[in-house]
Amino acid sequence: MRTYHCFWLLLWASQPLQSFLTPLSKRTSGFPEKEKVLVLSGNSRQDLHRSKRSWMWNQFFLLEEYTGTDYQYVGKLHSDQDKGDGSLKYILSGDGAGDLFIINENTGDIQATKRLDREEKPVYILRAQAINRRTGRPVEPESEFIIKIHDINDNEPMFTKDVYNASIPEMSDVGTFVVQVTATDADDPTYGNSAKVVYSILQGQPYFSVESETGIIKTALLNMDRENREQYQVVIQAKDMGGQMGGLSGTTTVNITLTDVNDNPPRFPQSTYQFRAPESTPLDSPVGKIKANDADVDENAEIEYSITEGDGYDVFGITTDKDTQEGIITVKKALDFENKNLYILKVEATNTHVDPRFLYLGPFKDSATVRIQVEDVDEPPVFSRPAYIMEVKEDIPINSVIGTVTAQDPDAARNPVKYSVDRHTDMDRVFNINSGNGSIFTSKPLDRETLLWHNITVIAAEINNPKQSSRVPVFIKVLDVNDNAPEFAMFYETFVCENAKAEQLIQTLSAVDKDDPHNGHQFSFSLAPEAASSSNFTLQDNRDNTAGIFTRKTRYNRHETSTYFLPVVISDNDYPIQSSTETVTIRVCACDHRGKMLSCNAEALIHPTGLSTGALIAILLCIIILLVTVVLFAALRRQRKKEPLIISKEDIRDNIVSYNDEGGGEEDTQAFDIGTLRNPEAIDDNKLRRDIVPETLFIPRRTATARDNTDVRDFINQRLKENDTDPTAPPYDSLATYAYEGNGSVAESLSSLESVTTDGDQDYDYLSDWGPRFKKLADMYGSMDSDKDS
């Protein structure tokens, strides 16, 4: 008999749309057909039969987002081998088996334990098998089946960006593309309309519109002007279910900016501008600023200013400040209030980037009138020239006028001007200037050979306001005159051989001249008249500013004449002719047959008496030895100690002993014992003078003792009187100085520090009456008085 083994997949649905089973066009088994060969025994009849698939299977559909409290029923597995006695066991494996999907081992019922989301995983592939519970061996081959999650509309459309930013030029045509927005829906696009998105505009009308299917935003209004409104915010909605009621939706914001185009011409806010400029305004200095307003921005607002007409077209210029777009009016030529004090200009402002699409709006330029008033200022004098060049001959007499500079006050007052020379440019004071008329004259002789150009600066200042002054350079060129005689280019000292022949050239001469004639130097050479006839040499002028010296005779003798001095006259050909006489020294020397010098007469010049070299050296050594001896003797004599005149410290006399030092002055009481002067009794009367031997021994007279309060002046007078009457006074000259600087002295102070502060000068004429001994002093002090008077 034929036996059919089938494994049925039964789907039990508790709700009509809970799960679905796809119908089959024909019944097929879940596995490939296998051929079974039944072996028939001998007596028994065994039929060979073909077994179909062991079980039926298909895919299951399961709704997502189940909201019930119980497990969601998926379906049922059943094998035709199942007799219902519990001998079979159903096993489930694959995606989510045991966790997400569970199966009843006895009945084959499959259930979902959790909520399923198709957007997370739309398909689950599982494997089912029935095994013998007792033996654990499969009674059916393992087979796969699919659980597909059925979509529901549980996701709203999502835009790819939260905020879109876009820009379009202003004044764009209607329908100009702005931007495209895109929204996606996570629902299944193959099932129903859950993922079908439709776009609409919620905010931004009537300026913009959106295509419902593509999400393309376009302009909907003509001539949108950025200057009126620059920013727009548009809200776009995306709704699924084809936009039907009940569909889910999402929104996004689109920020749209209108970019600028040059659709506005520049405009001056006023038609006339007025400025003031002092006439002393430097060149390229600003006078004023003007600005035309342009509602556009960036390069569309760039303006170029120009002066189109007016009487100051060439006096003023205008430039554009690229940062502020202002027109800056500057001075191109110097202003002069006295010549013109008012300028009227027409200034034009033009856009540099013009859009041809908007030329119909009118010319993209504007013009305004500018009035510039020139103000008068006190200006310094102005010279008639920016620089002066003068020429003067170097032999011009002192105080001769060489040229004149002229300057005048440009103001209407025409203040008088005085001239002066800047002495920093004429340190030697070679030139001077007449302060009234500006004539320049020489104050010292000029010499072109010393200085060719003199560059001085003349100052012109207003007499009423010396601070207003100006300067001008004066270049003075000293012209040459023939005031220098030509001379040898070098010192010529040559020689002639004793065996020289006649007409032999021994030296070529050349000359130089400090002057600089226009036609160049032309020198002529000749022998001086006194040497022209008696000379042993001849001179030949080469006519090229050189000359040659030739021998006149044959053979010379250096013992007869060792040196010849040949006077040569050099003359120039300029006016006035200048000439000089130069001397050529010619020495007679011994030469070899080729004319090479061997020796000259130097020995004869050094020792004409015929002394040999050894004798001269001996004489020189003797002189040196003698000088050294004299120097040593003088040094030893200086070091010899002189015997003191006064041996005893107790010997006090009225003599001056010089120690070549300076005392402390009146305040120094330690240099001399003043008490001795006040106490004459302290002097030992028995001690005699030791520097002389007296012929007759006189007993010194006892003088009265001075009182303790005796003035030093009285004591000195007393001692002076005693010395005058003392017969034992020394017969030789002895200097006794009695200087007194006490209170009430007639001579007053003798200090040299105060002598220069006297009010009157001392009269030294009386020195002339003192005799020849004081003649030197009289001449010395008399000359000092004459110098003071001069």
Side-chain angles (χ1 to χ4, degrees):
M1 62 180 288
R2 178 172 298 179
T3 305
Y4 297 91
H5 302 280
C6 301
F7 184 35
W8 296 89
L9 275 71
L10 303 179
L11 177 63
W12 303 89
S14 59
Q15 298 179 7
L17 295 176
Q18 193 172 8
S19 61
F20 304 90
L21 182 64
T22 302
L24 298 175
S25 59
K26 65 177 181 178
R27 185 175 179 180
T28 60
S29 63
F31 299 94
E33 296 183 358
K34 296 183 180 179
E35 298 291 332
K36 287 186 177 181
V37 179
L38 301 177
V39 179
L40 303 177
S41 61
N43 295 329
S44 63
R45 182 185 173 202
Q46 296 182 351
D47 297 331
L48 181 63
H49 65 276
R50 184 175 69 180
S51 174
K52 297 183 179 180
R53 291 179 182 175
S54 299
W55 56 0
M56 295 282 296
W57 67 274
N58 207 336
Q59 57 184 356
F60 293 99
F61 289 93
L62 186 64
L63 288 176
E64 64 173 337
E65 302 296 340
Y66 174 68
T67 57
T69 58
D70 298 332
Y71 290 165
Q72 186 177 8
Y73 186 77
V74 179
K76 183 179 181 66
L77 296 180
H78 183 71
S79 174
D80 58 358
Q81 299 292 328
D82 190 0
K83 305 300 184 180
D85 56 0
S87 61
L88 295 184
K89 178 182 179 181
Y90 295 97
I91 298 175
L92 188 65
S93 62
D95 295 339
D99 178 23
L100 188 58
F101 299 102
I102 60 175
I103 189 171
N104 191 311
E105 296 178 352
N106 298 322
T107 62
D109 294 330
I110 302 174
Q111 292 179 316
T113 62
K114 298 180 181 179
R115 293 177 59 181
L116 301 178
D117 189 355
R118 189 201 67 84
E119 286 71 34
E120 292 182 2
K121 189 174 180 64
V123 176
Y124 294 87
I125 301 175
L126 294 94
R127 293 179 295 276
Q129 191 175 31
I131 62 174
N132 189 293
R133 190 184 295 273
R134 183 174 58 84
T135 63
R137 297 180 64 182
V139 297
E140 299 289 348
E142 187 179 53
S143 182
E144 272 187 356
F145 66 94
I146 297 174
I147 299 178
K148 298 186 68 174
I149 307 303
H150 185 68
D151 183 47
I152 64 173
N153 189 17
D154 61 342
N155 292 281
E156 70 276 4
M158 299 292 293
F159 284 94
T160 56
K161 296 181 181 179
D162 294 335
V163 177
Y164 288 83
N165 294 305
S167 61
I168 58 168
E170 62 174 332
M171 309 298 289
S172 296
D173 297 332
V174 176
T176 301
F177 174 83
V178 180
V179 70
Q180 183 177 12
V181 296
T182 303
T184 58
D185 196 319
D187 294 327
D188 189 0
T190 62
Y191 180 76
N193 294 327
S194 299
K196 185 177 181 181
V197 179
V198 175
Y199 300 94
S200 62
I201 184 169
L202 300 182
Q203 177 183 323
Q205 295 176 331
Y207 307 104
F208 300 96
S209 62
V210 63
E211 293 183 357
S212 60
E213 296 182 357
T214 62
I216 295 176
I217 301 175
K218 298 181 179 180
T219 58
L221 189 64
L222 186 64
N223 295 334
M224 286 190 292
D225 194 357
R226 185 199 65 84
E227 288 71 32
N228 294 331
R229 182 176 178 183
E230 184 177 2
Q231 298 286 340
Y232 294 86
Q233 191 175 72
V234 179
V235 178
I236 302 298
Q237 174 183 275
K239 189 174 184 181
D240 59 12
M241 298 299 293
Q244 298 177 5
M245 187 177 294
L248 302 178
S249 64
T251 59
T252 187
T253 301
V254 182
N255 295 323
I256 302 175
T257 303
L258 297 183
T259 59
D260 186 56
V261 296
N262 193 6
D263 59 338
N264 293 280
R267 289 289 181 265
F268 283 105
Q270 58 192 69
S271 60
T272 303
Y273 295 84
Q274 293 188 1
F275 300 103
R276 293 180 177 271
E279 62 176 334
S280 60
T281 303
L283 299 182
D284 298 326
S285 298
V287 174
K289 298 179 180 180
I290 60 176
K291 184 177 182 180
N293 298 325
D294 194 327
D296 298 321
V297 295
D298 299 333
E299 68 174 13
N300 297 319
E302 292 182 1
I303 301 174
E304 187 70 27
Y305 296 91
S306 60
I307 299 176
T308 57
E309 58 183 69
D311 51 4
Y313 181 82
D314 57 342
V315 179
F316 299 93
I318 188 168
T319 58
T320 303
D321 189 334
K322 299 301 182 181
D323 296 330
T324 62
Q325 295 300 315
E326 291 178 320
I328 303 175
I329 301 175
T330 57
V331 179
K332 292 172 56 179
K333 290 185 178 181
L335 304 178
D336 190 355
F337 173 83
E338 289 71 25
N339 291 335
K340 188 174 181 62
N341 56 17
L342 178 63
Y343 294 90
I344 300 176
L345 309 174
K346 184 178 181 181
V347 178
E348 188 175 80
T350 307
N351 276 137
T352 56
H353 300 86
V354 179
D355 195 336
R357 296 178 299 171
F358 304 103
L359 290 177
Y360 68 92
L361 297 177
F364 282 77
K365 59 184 178 180
D366 194 15
S367 60
T369 301
V370 178
R371 298 169 59 89
I372 301 176
Q373 183 74 39
V374 180
E375 297 178 342
D376 187 23
V377 296
D378 189 6
E379 298 176 279
V382 177
F383 284 93
S384 60
R385 301 179 190 176
Y388 291 85
I389 299 178
M390 301 178 183
E391 294 182 349
V392 57
K393 291 186 176 182
E394 60 178 327
D395 61 347
I396 188 172
I398 298 177
N399 295 327
S400 299
V401 177
I402 62 175
T404 303
V405 297
T406 305
Q408 64 178 2
D409 184 11
D411 298 324
R414 300 297 182 186
N415 294 321
V417 177
K418 64 177 181 179
Y419 302 91
S420 62
V421 176
D422 186 355
R423 290 306 173 187
H424 292 90
T425 60
D426 186 23
M427 301 294 291
D428 296 332
R429 297 180 177 268
V430 179
F431 301 95
N432 212 333
I433 190 170
N434 189 308
S435 61
N437 58 21
S439 59
I440 301 175
F441 56 90
T442 59
S443 57
K444 288 184 179 180
L446 302 178
D447 187 5
R448 187 201 68 86
E449 289 71 33
T450 303
L451 186 60
L452 177 62
W453 283 93
H454 295 267
N455 302 329
I456 65 174
T457 299
V458 175
I459 304 173
E462 295 182 8
I463 296 179
N464 299 333
N465 186 9
K467 293 183 178 180
Q468 294 294 337
S469 62
S470 56
R471 298 167 176 261
V472 67
V474 179
F475 307 103
I476 303 174
K477 183 179 181 180
V478 181
L479 301 179
D480 184 46
V481 296
N482 193 24
D483 59 344
N484 291 280
E487 56 188 12
F488 280 153
M490 56 181 293
F491 175 73
Y492 288 103
E493 182 178 3
T494 185
F495 70 94
V496 61
C497 295
E498 288 182 311
N499 56 357
K501 298 179 181 179
E503 300 300 327
Q504 181 179 344
L505 177 65
I506 62 173
Q507 182 65 48
T508 300
L509 307 177
S510 62
V512 293
D513 194 337
K514 295 180 180 179
D515 296 322
D516 187 17
H518 295 289
N519 299 326
H521 293 290
Q522 295 181 3
F523 302 126
S524 59
F525 299 85
S526 63
L527 293 177
E530 64 271 15
S533 58
S534 61
S535 176
N536 294 309
F537 303 93
T538 60
L539 181 69
Q540 178 180 343
D541 192 347
N542 298 327
R543 304 298 180 183
D544 59 354
N545 295 333
T546 62
I549 299 177
F550 295 86
T551 57
R552 174 174 287 183
K553 64 180 182 177
T554 302
R555 300 191 64 83
Y556 294 83
N557 191 344
R558 60 175 174 158
H559 298 289
E560 295 178 359
T561 305
S562 61
T563 305
Y564 293 93
F565 298 99
L566 186 66
V568 179
V569 178
I570 311 172
S571 303
D572 56 20
N573 291 329
D574 206 351
Y575 179 82
I577 296 177
Q578 299 287 343
S579 62
S580 65
T581 301
E582 300 289 333
T583 301
V584 180
T585 302
I586 305 174
R587 299 175 61 188
V588 181
C589 301
C591 303
D592 56 12
H593 65 281
R594 294 177 295 181
K596 184 177 180 181
M597 182 181 63
L598 297 178
S599 64
C600 294
N601 59 339
E603 297 83 3
L605 293 176
I606 295 176
H607 42 88
T609 58
L611 296 177
S612 63
T613 304
L616 291 176
I617 294 175
I619 295 174
L620 184 61
L621 288 176
C622 292
I623 295 174
I624 294 175
I625 293 172
L626 181 61
L627 290 176
V628 171
T629 303
V630 172
V631 171
L632 291 176
F633 179 76
L636 292 174
R637 188 174 183 180
R638 286 187 178 183
Q639 293 179 358
R640 183 179 300 170
K641 186 176 181 181
K642 297 181 180 180
E643 181 180 358
L645 180 63
I646 300 176
I647 299 177
S648 176
K649 295 182 179 180
E650 298 177 356
D651 190 3
I652 301 173
R653 290 189 262 180
D654 297 331
N655 291 334
I656 293 178
V657 180
S658 176
Y659 294 97
N660 292 329
D661 58 355
E662 295 184 5
E666 299 176 13
E667 303 297 331
D668 189 1
T669 59
Q670 303 298 327
F672 192 83
D673 187 5
I674 194 67
T676 304
L677 295 176
R678 293 186 178 275
N679 188 13
E681 295 179 354
I683 304 177
D684 189 358
D685 295 336
N686 296 326
K687 292 185 178 181
L688 302 177
R689 295 179 60 173
R690 299 178 181 179
D691 54 345
I692 60 173
V693 178
E695 297 177 357
T696 304
L697 182 62
F698 291 92
I699 300 175
R701 289 176 297 174
R702 187 83 175 186
T703 60
T705 303
R707 299 187 305 273
D708 293 338
N709 58 351
T710 301
D711 190 87
V712 176
R713 179 176 57 182
D714 297 336
F715 172 76
I716 293 176
N717 291 331
Q718 181 182 350
R719 295 291 290 171
L720 179 62
K721 184 177 180 181
E722 291 177 359
N723 279 273
D724 290 340
T725 59
D726 187 6
T728 62
Y732 52 84
D733 292 337
S734 178
L735 177 62
T737 301
Y738 301 95
Y740 175 69
E741 298 185 19
N743 295 330
S745 173
V746 178
E748 297 182 351
S749 175
L750 301 180
S751 173
S752 62
L753 297 177
E754 296 180 359
S755 61
V756 296
T757 60
T758 57
D759 296 332
D761 294 333
Q762 181 70 31
D763 185 7
Y764 298 99
D765 293 340
Y766 60 88
L767 295 176
S768 301
D769 301 332
W770 286 11
R773 293 185 178 181
F774 297 91
K775 184 176 184 304
K776 184 66 176 178
L777 289 175
D779 295 340
M780 182 185 301
Y781 285 90
S783 62
M784 291 175 59
D785 293 340
S786 62
D787 292 342
K788 292 180 181 179
D789 296 339
S790 61

